[in-house]
Amino acid sequence: MTEPMSESISEKVFNKPVALQNVAEMEDLLKDLAQTLIDELPKLVAAAQSAVKAGDAKAVNAAAHSIKGSVAPFAAELAYDAAWHLETAGTQGDLTDAAQLLANLEIELHRLTDALQSL
């Protein structure tokens, strides 16, 4: 059984107060953005998976950059950081750890989407 996340970790997964500030306190807009992200993430993750599998650093960079931009409005620090690490690997052309970086990103995206479901 997993232990509940601490408040600070929970806020790093999805910081709702900051996310609301990012959308001018418009909760309906935040809900719409959350649903759009939930709908689009499978495509974005699939693109990252394909790029890593192909060893295509430019495509890894592009896919991770798209994911990073998609999670940014939600103040999702952990997912954003995980996407940044994968993006950086693509930028540097060093995909040695890309599979692990992608796995970490997928974990954080799962945590984020679970949190967004609560909206």
Side-chain angles (χ1 to χ4, degrees):
M1 185 168 164
T2 58
E3 293 183 31
M5 285 187 277
S6 71
E7 187 72 27
S8 62
I9 295 295
S10 179
E11 287 178 357
K12 289 181 180 186
V13 171
F14 167 53
N15 191 325
K16 186 175 180 182
V18 173
L20 279 168
Q21 288 176 354
N22 289 341
V23 295
E25 304 296 330
M26 298 169 65
E27 190 152 353
D28 286 343
L29 177 56
L30 184 62
K31 288 177 184 179
D32 289 345
L33 286 173
Q35 189 58 55
T36 299
L37 178 66
I38 290 166
D39 293 344
E40 294 299 315
L41 268 179
K43 295 176 205 164
L44 296 171
V45 171
Q49 290 168 336
S50 294
V52 168
K53 186 175 180 179
D56 185 340
K58 285 185 180 183
V60 168
N61 174 271
H65 184 78
S66 292
I67 293 169
K68 189 178 75 172
S70 296
V71 302
F74 302 99
E77 184 179 332
L78 296 174
Y80 186 93
D81 287 349
W84 179 84
H85 285 290
L86 184 59
E87 180 185 26
T88 299
T91 300
Q92 295 173 348
D94 180 3
L95 301 183
T96 306
D97 297 326
Q100 183 59 51
L101 293 171
L102 178 59
N104 294 343
L105 175 57
E106 290 179 30
I107 289 167
E108 296 308 331
L109 292 173
H110 180 73
R111 289 168 64 176
L112 173 59
T113 56
D114 283 350
L116 293 177
Q117 296 288 352
S118 69
L119 291 176

